[in-house]
Amino acid sequence: SQQGEEDPQALSIQEGENATMNCSYKTSINNLQWYRQNSGRGLVHLILIRSNEREKHSGRLRVTLDTSKKSSSLLITASRAADTASYFCATDKVDTGFQKLVFGTGTRLLVSP
Amino acid sequence: DVKVTQSSRYLVKRTGEKVFLECVQDMDHENMFWYRQDPGLGLRLIYFSYDVKMKEKGDIPEGYSVSREKKERFSLILESASTNQTSMYLCASSLGQGIIGTGELFFGEGSRLTVL
């Protein structure tokens, strides 16, 4: 079953613009992670935000987490053509005894020069 | 540099064949995972392992089995491949953190399997 759902499914912007992607989830979490996937490749971890954190930054990335609304957003500022990729949120489940992440269906970002 | 290596990037198999997908990590991670990725469905967990010789079913284990004889290696087995198993298969590993929270996953480059 899907835990996280990204919105929008696809996003097309120009270089230099900001890109915002949203993720909603259903159950309580320990942390939420964002990953990036270039076409035909594996996923690469971008950032992890814990349930007791509200905002986190890493370079041009800014992630927010609102546990009351069960949602997160990923903001990429001053986007570049090289940011073109799919972006996935992933959440774990508080009630599981084992480590496993559940991924959303992803947002496809296209950054045009 | 940390690395998860999947043995084959592209495979083409026939219906009914037995298929082995191998994954090796060099980070001494306790946990290893197999996901499949299909358009519109995202990544779905097939099996995972938190220790040598241990395995747990994920969300879609039917038609698959796994083997973890050594800490660094996690194999996915399709006993009798079917066309609906055509997919991208992604292996990942992570440090063991108990139930506190799932840490960062390190992924391989993926194995694209086509079953004819």
Side-chain angles (χ1 to χ4, degrees):
Chain A
S1 59
Q2 293 296 333
Q3 166 76 319
E5 296 289 338
E6 287 91 343
D7 169 60
Q9 290 187 335
L11 181 61
S12 184
I13 60 174
Q14 300 288 320
E15 264 189 329
E17 294 180 341
N18 294 342
T20 300
M21 288 159 269
N22 303 297
C23 170
S24 59
Y25 57 92
K26 298 173 184 173
T27 62
S28 296
I29 60 172
N30 288 313
N31 63 60
L32 184 144
Q33 303 181 39
W34 284 91
Y35 287 80
R36 166 198 167 118
Q37 184 182 34
N38 288 348
S39 180
R41 309 297 293 273
L43 278 72
V44 175
H45 182 262
L46 294 176
I47 199 163
L48 180 153
I49 185 164
R50 300 200 182 280
S51 58
N52 61 355
E53 297 175 308
R54 292 296 168 258
E55 188 170 312
K56 206 161 183 180
H57 296 255
S58 177
R60 294 184 295 113
L61 305 180
R62 172 178 168 248
V63 168
T64 60
L65 179 64
D66 187 334
T67 53
S68 66
K69 294 182 179 178
K70 291 187 171 58
S71 68
S72 174
S73 67
L74 170 67
L75 169 67
I76 304 174
T77 60
S79 63
R80 306 164 182 168
D83 294 328
T84 294
S86 292
Y87 293 82
F88 295 86
C89 70
T91 54
D92 61 355
K93 295 180 181 180
V94 169
D95 61 347
T96 183
F98 299 105
Q99 295 186 52
K100 54 179 180 177
L101 287 182
V102 180
F103 287 80
T105 53
T107 292
R108 294 189 313 279
L109 174 65
L110 173 62
V111 182
S112 301
Chain B
D1 211 12
V2 297
K3 202 161 186 182
V4 177
T5 303
Q6 294 184 228
S7 55
S8 304
R9 288 277 280 141
Y10 301 94
L11 303 94
V12 179
K13 298 292 182 181
R14 298 210 173 270
T15 301
E17 280 192 79
K18 191 168 186 176
V19 181
F20 292 88
L21 299 179
E22 305 283 344
C23 176
V24 178
Q25 51 97 1
D26 64 359
M27 295 165 282
D28 202 34
H29 283 169
E30 288 81 6
N31 304 318
M32 295 189 75
F33 307 81
W34 276 106
Y35 288 88
R36 67 175 280 178
Q37 183 177 23
D38 300 288
L41 297 177
L43 277 76
R44 293 178 291 167
L45 182 63
I46 304 171
Y47 267 98
F48 63 102
S49 169
Y50 54 92
D51 203 351
V52 176
K53 296 190 186 296
M54 306 302 289
K55 61 185 179 184
E56 292 290 329
K57 293 180 180 179
D59 298 319
I60 52 164
E62 296 79 19
Y64 303 94
S65 62
V66 290
S67 172
R68 190 151 181 217
E69 295 298 316
K70 295 184 177 181
K71 189 175 185 180
E72 68 272 16
R73 188 179 297 269
F74 192 36
S75 302
L76 180 69
I77 304 152
L78 288 66
E79 294 289 343
S80 177
S82 62
T83 55
N84 63 11
Q85 292 179 309
T86 291
S87 186
M88 169 72 102
Y89 290 88
L90 292 162
C91 175
S93 70
S94 73
L95 281 171
Q97 292 186 357
I99 62 171
I100 296 173
T102 307
E104 173 185 354
L105 261 60
F106 294 85
F107 280 86
E109 289 295 329
S111 298
R112 186 166 293 281
L113 171 67
T114 301
V115 182
L116 302 176

